[in-house]
mmCIF file of all heavy atoms in Angstrom:
data_model
loop_
_atom_site.group_PDB
_atom_site.id
_atom_site.type_symbol
_atom_site.label_atom_id
_atom_site.label_comp_id
_atom_site.label_asym_id
_atom_site.label_seq_id
_atom_site.Cartn_x
_atom_site.Cartn_y
_atom_site.Cartn_z
ATOM 1 N N ILE A 40 -32.403 -10.415 25.135
ATOM 2 C CA ILE A 40 -31.414 -9.386 25.491
ATOM 3 C C ILE A 40 -30.125 -9.598 24.703
ATOM 4 O O ILE A 40 -29.512 -8.653 24.201
ATOM 5 C CB ILE A 40 -31.138 -9.410 27.004
ATOM 6 C CG1 ILE A 40 -32.386 -8.986 27.778
ATOM 7 C CG2 ILE A 40 -29.966 -8.492 27.361
ATOM 8 C CD1 ILE A 40 -32.261 -9.140 29.282
ATOM 9 N N GLN A 44 -29.219 -6.815 22.178
ATOM 10 C CA GLN A 44 -28.227 -6.006 22.892
ATOM 11 C C GLN A 44 -28.891 -4.814 23.579
ATOM 12 O O GLN A 44 -28.356 -3.709 23.610
ATOM 13 C CB GLN A 44 -27.133 -5.522 21.932
ATOM 14 C CG GLN A 44 -26.216 -6.631 21.442
ATOM 15 C CD GLN A 44 -25.419 -7.279 22.579
ATOM 16 O OE1 GLN A 44 -24.600 -6.637 23.239
ATOM 17 N NE2 GLN A 44 -25.656 -8.557 22.839
ATOM 18 N N ASN A 45 -30.077 -5.079 24.138
ATOM 19 C CA ASN A 45 -30.832 -4.055 24.849
ATOM 20 C C ASN A 45 -31.429 -4.685 26.099
ATOM 21 O O ASN A 45 -32.258 -5.594 26.013
ATOM 22 C CB ASN A 45 -31.942 -3.491 23.953
ATOM 23 C CG ASN A 45 -32.696 -2.353 24.628
ATOM 24 O OD1 ASN A 45 -32.471 -2.032 25.792
ATOM 25 N ND2 ASN A 45 -33.596 -1.731 23.886
ATOM 26 N N ALA A 46 -31.000 -4.195 27.276
ATOM 27 C CA ALA A 46 -31.462 -4.753 28.544
ATOM 28 C C ALA A 46 -32.409 -3.816 29.283
ATOM 29 O O ALA A 46 -32.669 -4.002 30.473
ATOM 30 C CB ALA A 46 -30.251 -5.083 29.441
ATOM 31 N N GLU A 47 -32.916 -2.792 28.577
ATOM 32 C CA GLU A 47 -33.758 -1.796 29.235
ATOM 33 C C GLU A 47 -35.065 -2.392 29.771
ATOM 34 O O GLU A 47 -35.635 -1.891 30.728
ATOM 35 C CB GLU A 47 -34.073 -0.660 28.260
ATOM 36 C CG GLU A 47 -32.882 0.207 27.909
ATOM 37 C CD GLU A 47 -32.283 0.906 29.121
ATOM 38 O OE1 GLU A 47 -33.063 1.349 29.979
ATOM 39 O OE2 GLU A 47 -31.056 0.980 29.206
ATOM 40 N N PHE A 49 -35.537 -5.171 31.231
ATOM 41 C CA PHE A 49 -35.368 -6.087 32.357
ATOM 42 C C PHE A 49 -34.679 -5.365 33.505
ATOM 43 O O PHE A 49 -33.630 -4.745 33.325
ATOM 44 C CB PHE A 49 -34.538 -7.303 31.944
ATOM 45 C CG PHE A 49 -34.306 -8.277 33.061
ATOM 46 C CD1 PHE A 49 -35.309 -9.146 33.457
ATOM 47 C CD2 PHE A 49 -33.087 -8.324 33.723
ATOM 48 C CE1 PHE A 49 -35.113 -10.051 34.487
ATOM 49 C CE2 PHE A 49 -32.873 -9.225 34.758
ATOM 50 C CZ PHE A 49 -33.886 -10.091 35.138
ATOM 51 N N SER A 50 -35.277 -5.436 34.688
ATOM 52 C CA SER A 50 -34.690 -4.788 35.856
ATOM 53 C C SER A 50 -33.770 -5.765 36.589
ATOM 54 O O SER A 50 -34.189 -6.860 36.965
ATOM 55 C CB SER A 50 -35.797 -4.320 36.815
ATOM 56 O OG SER A 50 -35.227 -3.867 38.029
ATOM 57 N N THR A 51 -32.540 -5.342 36.803
ATOM 58 C CA THR A 51 -31.600 -6.201 37.524
ATOM 59 C C THR A 51 -31.957 -6.333 39.001
ATOM 60 O O THR A 51 -31.405 -7.177 39.695
ATOM 61 C CB THR A 51 -30.160 -5.655 37.398
ATOM 62 O OG1 THR A 51 -30.126 -4.282 37.827
ATOM 63 C CG2 THR A 51 -29.668 -5.751 35.963
ATOM 64 N N MET A 91 -27.847 -13.784 34.207
ATOM 65 C CA MET A 91 -28.626 -12.634 33.747
ATOM 66 C C MET A 91 -27.911 -11.330 34.090
ATOM 67 O O MET A 91 -27.858 -10.403 33.270
ATOM 68 C CB MET A 91 -30.010 -12.656 34.389
ATOM 69 C CG MET A 91 -30.940 -13.734 33.884
ATOM 70 S SD MET A 91 -31.429 -13.527 32.151
ATOM 71 C CE MET A 91 -32.361 -11.995 32.231
ATOM 72 N N LEU A 92 -27.359 -11.245 35.296
ATOM 73 C CA LEU A 92 -26.627 -10.047 35.706
ATOM 74 C C LEU A 92 -25.417 -9.808 34.818
ATOM 75 O O LEU A 92 -25.150 -8.670 34.413
ATOM 76 C CB LEU A 92 -26.171 -10.191 37.162
ATOM 77 C CG LEU A 92 -27.136 -9.739 38.252
ATOM 78 C CD1 LEU A 92 -26.545 -10.049 39.615
ATOM 79 C CD2 LEU A 92 -27.432 -8.252 38.132
ATOM 80 N N LYS A 93 -24.696 -10.857 34.516
ATOM 81 C CA LYS A 93 -23.496 -10.734 33.685
ATOM 82 C C LYS A 93 -23.858 -10.190 32.309
ATOM 83 O O LYS A 93 -23.220 -9.254 31.813
ATOM 84 C CB LYS A 93 -22.805 -12.090 33.550
ATOM 85 C CG LYS A 93 -21.466 -12.050 32.812
ATOM 86 C CD LYS A 93 -20.802 -13.414 32.851
ATOM 87 C CE LYS A 93 -19.384 -13.340 32.272
ATOM 88 N NZ LYS A 93 -19.369 -12.929 30.855
ATOM 89 N N LEU A 94 -24.895 -10.757 31.704
ATOM 90 C CA LEU A 94 -25.295 -10.313 30.380
ATOM 91 C C LEU A 94 -25.796 -8.866 30.412
ATOM 92 O O LEU A 94 -25.399 -8.040 29.575
ATOM 93 C CB LEU A 94 -26.402 -11.230 29.844
ATOM 94 C CG LEU A 94 -26.992 -10.832 28.494
ATOM 95 C CD1 LEU A 94 -25.932 -10.886 27.403
ATOM 96 C CD2 LEU A 94 -28.172 -11.728 28.132
ATOM 97 N N CYS A 95 -26.664 -8.544 31.369
ATOM 98 C CA CYS A 95 -27.236 -7.187 31.442
ATOM 99 C C CYS A 95 -26.156 -6.145 31.688
ATOM 100 O O CYS A 95 -26.199 -5.044 31.119
ATOM 101 C CB CYS A 95 -28.289 -7.120 32.554
ATOM 102 S SG CYS A 95 -29.801 -8.044 32.190
ATOM 103 N N THR A 96 -25.184 -6.474 32.534
ATOM 104 C CA THR A 96 -24.097 -5.534 32.824
ATOM 105 C C THR A 96 -23.254 -5.285 31.585
ATOM 106 O O THR A 96 -22.923 -4.138 31.256
ATOM 107 C CB THR A 96 -23.207 -6.072 33.951
ATOM 108 O OG1 THR A 96 -24.004 -6.341 35.103
ATOM 109 C CG2 THR A 96 -22.129 -5.064 34.327
ATOM 110 N N GLU A 97 -22.915 -6.350 30.867
ATOM 111 C CA GLU A 97 -22.110 -6.210 29.654
ATOM 112 C C GLU A 97 -22.839 -5.384 28.602
ATOM 113 O O GLU A 97 -22.248 -4.509 27.962
ATOM 114 C CB GLU A 97 -21.761 -7.594 29.099
ATOM 115 C CG GLU A 97 -20.790 -8.372 29.970
ATOM 116 C CD GLU A 97 -20.585 -9.788 29.471
ATOM 117 O OE1 GLU A 97 -21.353 -10.223 28.569
ATOM 118 O OE2 GLU A 97 -19.682 -10.485 29.984
ATOM 119 N N VAL A 98 -24.140 -5.644 28.445
ATOM 120 C CA VAL A 98 -24.923 -4.919 27.443
ATOM 121 C C VAL A 98 -25.069 -3.453 27.823
ATOM 122 O O VAL A 98 -24.896 -2.556 26.988
ATOM 123 C CB VAL A 98 -26.316 -5.574 27.287
ATOM 124 C CG1 VAL A 98 -27.236 -4.681 26.460
ATOM 125 C CG2 VAL A 98 -26.190 -6.937 26.635
ATOM 126 N N ARG A 99 -25.366 -3.199 29.093
ATOM 127 C CA ARG A 99 -25.565 -1.817 29.531
ATOM 128 C C ARG A 99 -24.283 -1.001 29.386
ATOM 129 O O ARG A 99 -24.307 0.132 28.896
ATOM 130 C CB ARG A 99 -26.041 -1.774 30.981
ATOM 131 C CG ARG A 99 -26.455 -0.378 31.437
ATOM 132 C CD ARG A 99 -26.880 -0.349 32.879
ATOM 133 N NE ARG A 99 -25.775 -0.565 33.782
ATOM 134 C CZ ARG A 99 -25.636 -1.628 34.561
ATOM 135 N NH1 ARG A 99 -26.547 -2.583 34.545
ATOM 136 N NH2 ARG A 99 -24.595 -1.754 35.368
ATOM 137 N N VAL A 100 -23.164 -1.557 29.820
ATOM 138 C CA VAL A 100 -21.891 -0.831 29.754
ATOM 139 C C VAL A 100 -21.477 -0.585 28.305
ATOM 140 O O VAL A 100 -20.963 0.484 27.969
ATOM 141 C CB VAL A 100 -20.792 -1.616 30.512
ATOM 142 C CG1 VAL A 100 -19.420 -0.987 30.267
ATOM 143 C CG2 VAL A 100 -21.094 -1.641 31.995
ATOM 144 N N SER A 101 -21.726 -1.561 27.440
ATOM 145 C CA SER A 101 -21.357 -1.375 26.031
ATOM 146 C C SER A 101 -22.197 -0.297 25.361
ATOM 147 O O SER A 101 -21.767 0.316 24.378
ATOM 148 C CB SER A 101 -21.518 -2.690 25.271
ATOM 149 O OG SER A 101 -22.881 -3.072 25.205
ATOM 150 N N ASN A 102 -23.395 -0.041 25.899
ATOM 151 C CA ASN A 102 -24.268 0.985 25.313
ATOM 152 C C ASN A 102 -24.091 2.358 25.946
ATOM 153 O O ASN A 102 -24.656 3.337 25.454
ATOM 154 C CB ASN A 102 -25.739 0.569 25.453
ATOM 155 C CG ASN A 102 -26.082 -0.635 24.588
ATOM 156 O OD1 ASN A 102 -25.437 -0.870 23.571
ATOM 157 N ND2 ASN A 102 -27.096 -1.390 24.987
ATOM 158 N N GLU A 103 -23.339 2.419 27.045
ATOM 159 C CA GLU A 103 -23.133 3.699 27.716
ATOM 160 C C GLU A 103 -21.870 4.368 27.195
ATOM 161 O O GLU A 103 -20.847 3.716 26.979
ATOM 162 C CB GLU A 103 -23.015 3.505 29.230
ATOM 163 C CG GLU A 103 -24.334 3.126 29.889
ATOM 164 C CD GLU A 103 -24.183 2.903 31.386
ATOM 165 O OE1 GLU A 103 -23.024 2.745 31.842
ATOM 166 O OE2 GLU A 103 -25.194 2.888 32.087
ATOM 167 N N LEU A 104 -21.935 5.662 27.034
ATOM 168 C CA LEU A 104 -20.781 6.441 26.560
ATOM 169 C C LEU A 104 -20.432 7.504 27.594
ATOM 170 O O LEU A 104 -21.300 8.244 28.064
ATOM 171 C CB LEU A 104 -21.099 7.110 25.223
ATOM 172 C CG LEU A 104 -21.393 6.168 24.043
ATOM 173 C CD1 LEU A 104 -21.798 6.983 22.819
ATOM 174 C CD2 LEU A 104 -20.191 5.291 23.748
ATOM 175 N N ILE A 106 -19.689 7.405 30.689
ATOM 176 C CA ILE A 106 -20.347 7.281 31.986
ATOM 177 C C ILE A 106 -19.310 6.919 33.043
ATOM 178 O O ILE A 106 -18.490 6.035 32.843
ATOM 179 C CB ILE A 106 -21.444 6.198 31.942
ATOM 180 C CG1 ILE A 106 -22.502 6.568 30.907
ATOM 181 C CG2 ILE A 106 -22.079 6.015 33.309
ATOM 182 C CD1 ILE A 106 -23.248 7.850 31.223
ATOM 183 N N ARG A 108 -17.491 5.216 35.900
ATOM 184 C CA ARG A 108 -17.560 3.843 36.370
ATOM 185 C C ARG A 108 -17.934 3.807 37.835
ATOM 186 O O ARG A 108 -17.400 4.557 38.646
ATOM 187 C CB ARG A 108 -16.210 3.134 36.167
ATOM 188 C CG ARG A 108 -15.774 3.045 34.716
ATOM 189 C CD ARG A 108 -16.721 2.203 33.895
ATOM 190 N NE ARG A 108 -16.250 2.019 32.535
ATOM 191 C CZ ARG A 108 -16.904 1.346 31.613
ATOM 192 N NH1 ARG A 108 -18.064 0.826 31.902
ATOM 193 N NH2 ARG A 108 -16.416 1.233 30.393
ATOM 194 N N ARG A 109 -18.858 2.916 38.177
ATOM 195 C CA ARG A 109 -19.273 2.714 39.558
ATOM 196 C C ARG A 109 -18.933 1.296 39.963
ATOM 197 O O ARG A 109 -19.071 0.362 39.174
ATOM 198 C CB ARG A 109 -20.779 2.939 39.697
ATOM 199 C CG ARG A 109 -21.245 4.323 39.262
ATOM 200 C CD ARG A 109 -20.850 5.388 40.262
ATOM 201 N NE ARG A 109 -21.259 6.713 39.806
ATOM 202 C CZ ARG A 109 -21.110 7.808 40.535
ATOM 203 N NH1 ARG A 109 -20.574 7.748 41.735
ATOM 204 N NH2 ARG A 109 -21.489 8.974 40.060
ATOM 205 N N TYR A 136 -26.278 4.558 43.317
ATOM 206 C CA TYR A 136 -25.906 3.653 42.230
ATOM 207 C C TYR A 136 -25.811 2.211 42.710
ATOM 208 O O TYR A 136 -25.211 1.374 42.038
ATOM 209 C CB TYR A 136 -24.568 4.078 41.600
ATOM 210 C CG TYR A 136 -24.674 5.335 40.791
ATOM 211 C CD1 TYR A 136 -24.526 6.583 41.403
ATOM 212 C CD2 TYR A 136 -24.941 5.290 39.430
ATOM 213 C CE1 TYR A 136 -24.631 7.748 40.664
ATOM 214 C CE2 TYR A 136 -25.049 6.448 38.682
ATOM 215 C CZ TYR A 136 -24.888 7.673 39.305
ATOM 216 O OH TYR A 136 -24.996 8.831 38.575
ATOM 217 N N TRP A 138 -26.356 -1.467 43.116
ATOM 218 C CA TRP A 138 -26.827 -2.505 42.177
ATOM 219 C C TRP A 138 -26.943 -1.963 40.749
ATOM 220 O O TRP A 138 -27.708 -2.444 39.928
ATOM 221 C CB TRP A 138 -28.172 -3.078 42.628
ATOM 222 C CG TRP A 138 -28.379 -4.500 42.183
ATOM 223 C CD1 TRP A 138 -29.250 -4.943 41.227
ATOM 224 C CD2 TRP A 138 -27.706 -5.663 42.668
ATOM 225 N NE1 TRP A 138 -29.161 -6.306 41.086
ATOM 226 C CE2 TRP A 138 -28.221 -6.778 41.966
ATOM 227 C CE3 TRP A 138 -26.715 -5.880 43.639
ATOM 228 C CZ2 TRP A 138 -27.779 -8.079 42.196
ATOM 229 C CZ3 TRP A 138 -26.280 -7.173 43.868
ATOM 230 C CH2 TRP A 138 -26.811 -8.252 43.159
ATOM 231 N N HIS A 139 -26.114 -0.970 40.471
ATOM 232 C CA HIS A 139 -26.040 -0.445 39.112
ATOM 233 C C HIS A 139 -24.567 -0.197 38.781
ATOM 234 O O HIS A 139 -24.181 0.872 38.324
ATOM 235 C CB HIS A 139 -26.839 0.858 38.999
ATOM 236 C CG HIS A 139 -27.104 1.278 37.585
ATOM 237 N ND1 HIS A 139 -28.008 0.636 36.766
ATOM 238 C CD2 HIS A 139 -26.565 2.273 36.832
ATOM 239 C CE1 HIS A 139 -28.018 1.217 35.587
ATOM 240 N NE2 HIS A 139 -27.151 2.216 35.589
ATOM 241 N N TRP A 140 -23.776 -1.232 39.032
ATOM 242 C CA TRP A 140 -22.334 -1.102 38.872
ATOM 243 C C TRP A 140 -21.901 -1.430 37.462
ATOM 244 O O TRP A 140 -22.677 -1.892 36.632
ATOM 245 C CB TRP A 140 -21.634 -2.015 39.883
ATOM 246 C CG TRP A 140 -21.991 -1.648 41.296
ATOM 247 C CD1 TRP A 140 -21.948 -0.420 41.870
ATOM 248 C CD2 TRP A 140 -22.500 -2.529 42.316
ATOM 249 N NE1 TRP A 140 -22.368 -0.472 43.177
ATOM 250 C CE2 TRP A 140 -22.717 -1.740 43.478
ATOM 251 C CE3 TRP A 140 -22.782 -3.888 42.380
ATOM 252 C CZ2 TRP A 140 -23.205 -2.286 44.664
ATOM 253 C CZ3 TRP A 140 -23.269 -4.430 43.554
ATOM 254 C CH2 TRP A 140 -23.472 -3.629 44.683
ATOM 255 N N SER A 141 -20.626 -1.157 37.190
ATOM 256 C CA SER A 141 -20.120 -1.254 35.825
ATOM 257 C C SER A 141 -19.450 -2.578 35.507
ATOM 258 O O SER A 141 -19.136 -2.844 34.355
ATOM 259 C CB SER A 141 -19.116 -0.114 35.563
ATOM 260 O OG SER A 141 -19.712 1.129 35.838
ATOM 261 N N LYS A 142 -19.226 -3.397 36.510
ATOM 262 C CA LYS A 142 -18.566 -4.681 36.285
ATOM 263 C C LYS A 142 -19.331 -5.801 36.979
ATOM 264 O O LYS A 142 -19.832 -5.626 38.087
ATOM 265 C CB LYS A 142 -17.126 -4.656 36.816
ATOM 266 C CG LYS A 142 -16.169 -3.799 36.011
ATOM 267 C CD LYS A 142 -14.762 -3.945 36.552
ATOM 268 C CE LYS A 142 -13.754 -3.167 35.717
ATOM 269 N NZ LYS A 142 -12.377 -3.324 36.246
ATOM 270 N N PHE A 143 -19.379 -6.938 36.320
ATOM 271 C CA PHE A 143 -20.057 -8.100 36.886
ATOM 272 C C PHE A 143 -19.376 -8.560 38.168
ATOM 273 O O PHE A 143 -20.043 -9.037 39.100
ATOM 274 C CB PHE A 143 -20.077 -9.230 35.849
ATOM 275 C CG PHE A 143 -20.584 -10.525 36.383
ATOM 276 C CD1 PHE A 143 -21.906 -10.653 36.791
ATOM 277 C CD2 PHE A 143 -19.744 -11.630 36.487
ATOM 278 C CE1 PHE A 143 -22.390 -11.855 37.293
ATOM 279 C CE2 PHE A 143 -20.212 -12.835 36.977
ATOM 280 C CZ PHE A 143 -21.541 -12.950 37.384
ATOM 281 N N TYR A 146 -20.883 -7.210 41.349
ATOM 282 C CA TYR A 146 -22.094 -7.907 41.797
ATOM 283 C C TYR A 146 -21.731 -9.192 42.536
ATOM 284 O O TYR A 146 -22.334 -9.535 43.555
ATOM 285 C CB TYR A 146 -22.986 -8.232 40.600
ATOM 286 C CG TYR A 146 -23.588 -7.022 39.930
ATOM 287 C CD1 TYR A 146 -23.003 -6.462 38.794
ATOM 288 C CD2 TYR A 146 -24.749 -6.430 40.421
ATOM 289 C CE1 TYR A 146 -23.551 -5.360 38.176
ATOM 290 C CE2 TYR A 146 -25.309 -5.323 39.802
ATOM 291 C CZ TYR A 146 -24.695 -4.786 38.678
ATOM 292 O OH TYR A 146 -25.248 -3.680 38.073
#
Side-chain angles (χ1 to χ4, degrees):
I40 294 173
Q44 290 297 297
N45 184 355
E47 291 299 321
F49 179 77
S50 172
T51 54
M91 289 294 295
L92 272 176
K93 186 175 187 298
L94 176 63
C95 290
T96 304
E97 291 174 349
V98 169
R99 188 182 69 247
V100 171
S101 66
N102 292 334
E103 289 178 344
L104 297 176
I106 299 297
R108 299 296 185 181
R109 302 287 178 176
Y136 289 87
W138 208 251
H139 195 73
W140 300 310
S141 305
K142 289 185 176 180
F143 172 66
Y146 292 97

